[in-house]
C-alpha cells in the first residue's frame, strides 16, 4: 500500500482478498529479519499481548493483530496455543471487529478460566459519525474446542462518572472469592488512572474505585494495567502515557513501569507501601506487558516488543513487531526479577563452553552462523568492559553492551546496530545495577531482536536490531580483565 | 504466490483484487532492477510487442501482459502511447481474455490504420475441456478515443487443412491494393511454417499459401513472422522454434532470425533470392521482434527482451522482462542494420566527451552514478581489446565485451555480470563483424539491461543483467592500443 488512509485502515477484514494476504506473506517470508522463536505476525502488525492464560491443559496467548499491513488498522485478537510456553502454534482469529460494540477495533484485554470455559474480557472500540471514540468493555466465552462466542451485550457500557472514553485494557484476576478487574482510564481532568471493578457473575461489574498506588501524576493516560501477586506481594505493571520524566526517568516514547507494594487492600482499593516507579525493561522496545498468576504457582509475563508511534524498518516489508519470550517474575529484596522461563531450554541445540580471560583488545567469543542463540556469561565486575553482539568481522558495527564498574551501570548502545530508527528517543539506554562480584548476562538473540537479562534478571534490556547484513553475527568481548566463563547454545526454530 | 498452479494462472482478471495489485506494485517499485527508459510491466509479466503502429498522430504499442505475477498466465494486450517513440504513457488494457474465442489468452498480433480507426488482429487462445488448444484469428477496432471494440465473430475460425492449431501471431501489412497477413503455423507433419492471407474488407480472409522463403526446415513452429519492406526489399523477421543448429548457429533457447530477399512475389507467395538466415540479435535475450513500415517512411522495430522457458532473477520480485528501445531498420550491402531511432537523443542529459589512448591496463572511462546512460565509442580495430560495463571498482565483476582483431569477432560475456541465469544456454555470445578500420560501439545501459549496437548497427547484442550491487556502474577499457574517442550521456527517465 502506498498510502494507509483511514478508510483503508478500517476496511472490513472480509473485503481483503486471500491473494493479497498470500502475496504479502510470501514477500515477508523472504525477509532476513524474520525470527526463529519469537511470536511475530505472519503479515501486518502485532501489538499488545492479550488473554495470556492456562486453560484446558494448554497455554493460550492472544495478540492484537492487524494483518493487512504494518499500521494500526482495525484490530482483532489472534490466538496462539502452546504446550510448553516456547513452541506456539498459530490457531486462528479469536475475536474480529464485527459487532456494533467493537466495529473499530477489538482492543486489549485478558482471560481467566471459569469452570469448563475460558472467559475473555476486552475493550471494544467504536468511532461514531463524528469520529468520536466510545469504549465498551466486552466479554466472550471460549470452549474446549477453542470456539469463541461473544457476549452480545456490553458488560460495561460507559466509563464511570468523572472519566473519559479513554477507558480500556481490562485485566481480570481472582482475589479472594471474587473476580476483580483492573482497567486503564483517564480522568475528566486528563490524568492517567487505574480503576478496579469487581464481579461475581462476570456480567455484573461493580466499580470499587480508582486504584491508589502512587501519589504522583501518572501522565494523561494509563494503559495496560496488570495487578499480579508475586510471593503474595502485589505488583502493578502499567504503561503511564505522558509521565513526567522527573518522577522516574525514561527515554522511550511511553514507558512500561511497575511498583511493588506490601499488600493490596480491596476495601480502600489501594496498594500499600508501594515502591518508587521502576522501568520494567531498561532497553528500547518493550511496552504493554501482560502478566498473570499461573495455576502452577508461577507469575508469568510477556511483553510487546514494539512501541506506539515509532517507525520500524520492517514496516517497508509489510510487517511489524513481535512478542517477548515468556518471563517468570519473582521478588528479592523488594526488587522485581524477570527471568526467561525454564522451558526456554527446550530450544537449545549445539552447546559450546566459553572459558578464558580477556587478554586481547578484541576477543572473539563466537561466530554463530546466524543470530539465533542463547548466551550466558559470567564476568568479573571489578573492571569495566563491553560485549558486542550482531557485530561484523572488524567489530565496527554492532550492538554494544557496556558495563561501567565505577558506578555499576550497564548501557546498551544501538547507534551502530543496523538501520537507525526511533533515534529521536536516543540510541543508548543506561540502567543502574546493584553491586555484586560478578556481572552475569543471559542473552537471547533472534535475528532482529535481542533480550538481555542482567544479573539474574535484576534488569532486562530489550532491543530490536535491523541489520542490513544478516552475516553480522560475531560476538566480541573487550575490557573486563580477569576470567570469564560462559555457555553458548544455538537455538532451534519454534515448532509451529 | 508460492505456487502458480494452472487454475491460478487462468483465474479471471476481475477476480484479482486491486489490493493485491497495489501491494505487488509497491513491492516491485523498490527494486533496483527497475528501468528508466524501457517499457516494463508495472507488475507481473510482459512478453511480445503487439500492434506497433502510428495512428491518429501518435505511436501505439501494445504488449502481451499477465499482470498478476511473473508467469505466463492468461494474457491480455496492454496499450502504451507515445508522441516520440521514447516517452511511453501507460494507457490501459486494450484487449482482455473475456470472450469465448480468447478465454485462455489474447495472444499476439498486429495493427494497421484503416480510415478513421485502427484495426487490430490477434490470436485468441482457447483450451477446451480436454485442455486441447484452439486458435482463432480475431479482430478489433480502436477509435480515436482509444476505445477498443472486439469483432464478435472469429475472422479465421480454423487453421487451413494440413496445419495444426499451433497457428498464431497474425501480422498485417499493406501490399499493393490489398491487406495481407503473415501468420506463424505448424504443418501436420510438425514443421514450422509461415502462411500468407489476403483480404479486402478485413473480415474476408483468403489463404494465399505457405510462404516460400527458405529451403531448410524451420523447426517445429514459426512464431511472430513479420514481413516488412526495407528500401523496397522484403525482410522477414521470425522466430523458428526447434531450428536445427546446423542451419544457422544460435545459442538462445529459440532464435529470432531474419532473411532478406530481392522481391516479394504475391502470386507464388515467395520471397525471391533470399539470404541465409541471420540472427537478428547476437546477444542473449531478444525474441518476438515486431516491425512495421511506418508512414514516415522508416521501418521500425521493437523486440521483447526476454525468452520463453528461462527463469529470470526478477521473477522473485514479481515482475519480468521489458521491451527493447525502438530501432530503425535499413539495408546496406545486403545486410540488415539496426540503429536506435534518432528520437532516443531526447533522453540525453549530462554530456561528457571521451578522448585519449589506452595506455593503462585498466582504463576507467567513466563512473556514472547509476547504469542509466548512452555511450558511443570509436576504437582502433587493429588490436584486440575489451570494454567492461556494470563493473565494480576493481573491475572484477561486470559485463565484458571483447573484440578480437584477428578474426573480427565480438563477444559478450555475462558470466561475471550479476546473478547467473539461463546458464544452460551459455554465458558468452560471439558475433562476426565485417572488417573495418574502426570498431564503433553504441550502448544503451538501463539498470538491468544493456543494448549494444556494433559498427553502426551491423549487429546488435542485448542482455539483461541483474547485479546484486546497483553501485557496479564503472566502465573500463583494456587493450585496443591507439586512440579512442567517444561520448557519454546520462539519460533521463522516460516521461510516463
Amino acid at each position: 500500500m502506498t498510502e494507509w488512509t483511514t478508510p483503508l485502515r478500517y476496511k472490513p477484514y472480509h473485503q481483503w482478498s486471500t491473494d493479497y494476504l498470500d502475496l504479502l506473506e510470501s514477500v515477508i517470508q523472504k525477509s532476513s529479519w524474520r525470527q526463529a522463536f519469537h511470536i511475530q505476525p505472519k503479515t501486518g502488525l502485532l501489538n499488545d499481548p492479550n488473554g495470556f492464560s492456562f486453560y484446558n491443559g494448554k497455554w493460550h496467548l492472544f495478540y492484537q493483530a492487524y494483518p493487512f499491513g504494518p499500521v494500526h488498522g482495525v484490530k482483532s485478537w489472534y490466538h496462539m496455543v502452546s504446550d510448553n510456553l516456547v513452541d506456539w502454534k498459530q490457531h486462528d482469529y479469536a475475536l474480529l471487529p464485527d459487532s456494533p460494540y467493537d466495529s473499530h477495533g477489538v482492543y486489549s484485554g485478558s482471560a481467566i478460566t471459569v469452570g469448563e470455559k475460558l472467559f475473555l474480557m476486552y475493550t471494544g472500540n467504536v468511532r461514531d459519525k463524528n469520529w468520536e471514540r466510545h469504549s465498551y468493555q466486552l466479554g466472550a466465552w471460549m470452549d474446549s474446542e477453542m470456539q469463541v462466542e461473544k457476549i452480545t451485550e456490553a458488560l460495561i457500557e460507559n466509563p464511570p462518572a468523572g472519566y473519559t472514553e479513554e477507558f480500556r485494557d481490562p485485566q481480570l484476576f481472582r482475589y479472594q472469592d471474587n473476580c476483580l478487574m483492573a482497567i486503564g482510564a483517564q480522568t475528566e481532568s486528563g490524568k492517567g488512572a487505574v480503576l478496579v471493578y469487581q464481579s461475581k457473575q462476570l456480567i455484573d461489574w461493580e466499580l470499587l474505585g480508582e486504584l491508589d498506588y502512587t501519589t504522583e501524576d501518572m501522565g494523561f493516560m494509563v494503559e495496560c494495567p496488570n495487578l499480579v501477586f508475586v510471593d503474595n506481594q502485589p505488583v502493578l505493571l502499567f504503561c503511564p502515557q505522558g509521565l513526567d520524566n522527573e518522577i522516574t526517568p525514561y527515554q522511550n516514547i511511553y514507558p512500561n513501569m511497575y511498583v511493588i507494594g506490601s499488600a493490596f487492600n480491596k476495601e480502600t482499593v489501594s496498594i500499600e507501601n508501594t515502591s518508587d516507579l521502576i522501568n520494567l525493561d531498561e532497553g528500547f522496545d518493550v511496552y504493554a506487558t501482560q502478566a498473570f498468576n499461573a495455576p502452577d504457582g508461577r507469575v508469568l509475563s510477556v511483553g510487546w516488543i514494539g512501541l506506539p508511534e515509532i517507525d520500524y524498518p520492517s514496516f517497508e516489508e509489510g510487517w511489524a513487531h513481535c512478542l517477548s519470550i515468556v518471563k517468570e517474575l519473582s521478588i528479592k529484596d523488594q526488587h522485581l526479577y524477570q527471568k526467561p522461563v525454564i522451558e526456554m531450554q527446550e530450544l537449545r541445540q549445539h552447546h559450546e563452553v566459553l572459558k578464558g580471560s580477556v587478554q586481547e583488545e578484541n576477543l572473539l567469543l563466537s561466530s554463530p552462523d546466524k543470530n539465533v542463540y542463547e548466551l550466558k556469561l559470567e564476568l568479573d565486575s571489578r573492571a569495566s568492559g563491553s560485549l558486542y553482539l550482531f557485530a561484523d568481522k572488524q567489530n565496527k558495527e554492532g550492538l554494544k553492551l557496556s558495563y561501567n564498574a565505577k558506578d555499576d551501570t550497564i548501557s546498551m548502545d544501538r547507534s551502530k546496530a543496523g538501520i537507525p530508527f526511533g533515534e529521536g528517543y536516543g540510541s543508548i539506554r543506561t540502567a543502574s545495577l546493584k553491586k555484586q562480584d560478578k556481572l552475569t548476562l543471559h542473552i537471547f538473540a533472534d535475528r532482529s531482536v535481542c533480550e538481555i537479562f542482567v544479573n539474574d534478571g535484576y534488569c532486562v534490556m530489550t532491543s530490536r536490531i535491523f541489520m542490513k547484513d544478516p552475516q553480522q553475527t560475531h560476538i566480541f568481548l573487550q575490557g573486563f580483565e580477569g576470567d570469564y566463563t560462559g555457555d553458548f547454545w544455538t537455538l532451534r526454530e519454534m515448532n509451529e
Side-chain angles (χ1 to χ4, degrees), chain A residues 6-180:
Chain A
T6 299
L8 196 59
R9 286 170 193 241
Y10 287 89
K11 180 164 129 172
Y13 280 36
H14 68 267
Q15 284 179 19
W16 290 91
S17 71
T18 53
D19 299 325
Y20 172 87
L21 272 186
D22 287 351
L23 175 62
L24 189 57
E25 190 181 340
S26 75
V27 169
I28 289 168
Q29 276 171 351
K30 290 176 196 151
S31 167
S32 62
W33 296 330
R34 295 292 285 178
Q35 302 154 338
F37 58 87
H38 281 79
I39 293 175
Q40 60 195 336
K42 250 198 307 195
T43 57
L45 184 140
L46 164 157
N47 53 310
D48 308 0
N50 294 153
F52 192 14
S53 52
F54 185 82
Y55 163 69
N56 201 27
K58 292 187 189 297
W59 300 100
H60 297 266
L61 180 53
F62 306 78
Y63 61 78
Q64 286 281 291
Y66 180 69
F68 307 106
V71 293
H72 288 273
V74 58
K75 298 289 172 62
S76 58
W77 278 33
Y78 194 84
H79 187 180
M80 308 290 294
V81 184
S82 176
D83 288 320
N84 62 2
L85 292 169
V86 169
D87 296 301
W88 291 96
K89 286 191 202 333
Q90 296 172 348
H91 179 62
D92 200 353
Y93 293 96
L95 295 166
L96 288 173
D98 56 8
S99 90
Y101 288 115
D102 58 19
S103 55
H104 292 69
V106 173
Y107 278 10
S108 286
S110 56
I112 49 168
T113 53
V114 178
E116 302 281 291
K117 293 194 173 176
L118 187 71
F119 179 68
L120 314 177
M121 190 164 181
Y122 67 99
T123 301
N125 185 55
V126 172
R127 295 285 188 169
D128 67 16
K129 282 178 196 160
N130 304 317
W131 205 246
E132 280 178 17
R133 186 198 297 282
H134 297 278
S135 296
Y136 300 96
Q137 310 316 318
L138 308 173
W141 291 100
M142 189 177 88
D143 65 21
S144 58
E145 304 291 308
M146 300 199 284
Q147 294 299 307
V148 178
E149 197 171 336
K150 287 184 184 175
I151 297 167
T152 49
E153 290 306 308
L155 304 179
I156 302 175
E157 188 100 25
N158 292 300
Y163 296 89
T164 74
E165 293 285 344
E166 302 294 327
F167 180 52
R168 56 181 170 269
D169 313 334
Q171 179 234 353
L172 298 161
F173 60 101
R174 293 196 186 282
Y175 186 75
Q176 296 162 351
D177 285 344
N178 288 102
C179 183
L180 301 194

Side-chain angles (χ1 to χ4, degrees), chain A residues 136-263:
Chain A
Y136 300 96
Q137 310 316 318
L138 308 173
W141 291 100
M142 189 177 88
D143 65 21
S144 58
E145 304 291 308
M146 300 199 284
Q147 294 299 307
V148 178
E149 197 171 336
K150 287 184 184 175
I151 297 167
T152 49
E153 290 306 308
L155 304 179
I156 302 175
E157 188 100 25
N158 292 300
Y163 296 89
T164 74
E165 293 285 344
E166 302 294 327
F167 180 52
R168 56 181 170 269
D169 313 334
Q171 179 234 353
L172 298 161
F173 60 101
R174 293 196 186 282
Y175 186 75
Q176 296 162 351
D177 285 344
N178 288 102
C179 183
L180 301 194
M181 181 267 281
I183 186 168
Q186 181 184 58
T187 66
E188 275 181 355
S189 56
K191 291 187 175 162
V194 176
L195 303 183
V196 181
Y197 282 74
Q198 174 174 271
S199 171
K200 284 216 187 264
Q201 304 298 326
L202 302 171
I203 48 168
D204 51 332
W205 290 93
E206 168 202 357
L207 177 66
L208 295 181
E210 183 175 324
L211 182 66
D212 177 12
Y213 62 101
T214 179
T215 53
E216 306 279 7
D217 272 359
M218 287 299 103
F220 60 82
M221 172 68 189
V222 171
E223 290 191 317
C224 303
N226 275 258
L227 182 57
V228 287
F229 294 87
V230 184
D231 301 332
N232 290 317
Q233 285 191 260
V235 177
L236 181 73
L237 288 66
F238 61 110
C239 299
Q241 294 190 318
L243 182 74
D244 189 330
N245 227 298
E246 305 264 307
I247 296 170
T248 298
Y250 65 92
Q251 281 182 272
N252 292 352
I253 179 170
Y254 303 125
N256 198 164
M257 295 199 159
Y258 73 89
V259 291
I260 302 180
S262 63

Side-chain angles (χ1 to χ4, degrees), chain A residues 61 92-93 152 163 211 222 241 248 267 294 296 319-320 338 381 407 433 438 450 474:
Chain A
L61 180 53
D92 200 353
Y93 293 96
T152 49
Y163 296 89
L211 182 66
V222 171
Q241 294 190 318
T248 298
E267 276 60 51
D296 60 11
W319 68 288
Q338 303 171 69
S381 64
D407 57 6
L433 301 176
K438 297 286 182 186
C450 192
H474 299 73

Side-chain angles (χ1 to χ4, degrees), chain A residues 388-443:
Chain A
Y388 298 85
L389 307 169
F390 294 78
D392 61 2
K393 273 184 198 169
Q394 290 76 36
N395 198 20
K396 303 238 157 148
E397 299 279 326
L399 181 71
K400 182 179 178 183
L401 198 72
S402 297
Y403 173 71
N404 184 330
K406 274 191 206 147
D407 57 6
D408 252 301
T409 56
I410 190 155
S411 297
M412 186 187 248
D413 179 350
R414 71 174 177 191
S415 61
K416 289 186 178 171
I419 299 173
F421 67 100
E423 307 137 281
Y425 298 92
S427 297
I428 301 178
R429 294 288 184 272
T430 301
S432 291
L433 301 176
K434 213 173 59 176
K435 188 75 197 171
Q436 51 181 53
D437 288 351
K438 297 286 182 186
L439 172 72
T440 68
L441 300 173
H442 191 178
I443 294 163

Side-chain angles (χ1 to χ4, degrees), chain A residues 258-310:
Chain A
Y258 73 89
V259 291
I260 302 180
S262 63
F264 171 65
N265 187 326
K266 199 183 92 173
E267 276 60 51
T268 58
V269 197
S270 60
I271 301 175
E272 295 174 357
N273 306 309
T274 51
S275 66
D276 288 341
L277 270 63
I278 307 177
N279 282 302
L280 188 62
D281 190 285
E282 299 285 3
F284 294 92
D285 303 294
V286 166
Y287 194 75
T289 296
Q290 185 164 77
F292 83 112
N293 284 84
D296 60 11
R298 292 186 289 183
V299 187
L300 301 178
S301 78
V302 61
W304 172 32
I305 304 183
L307 286 175
E309 299 167 40
I310 304 280

Side-chain angles (χ1 to χ4, degrees), chain A residues 34 80 93 203 294 332 337 386 451 454 477:
Chain A
R34 295 292 285 178
M80 308 290 294
Y93 293 96
I203 48 168
K332 201 164 82 180
Y337 282 73
S386 295
E451 294 175 84
V454 184
L477 205 54

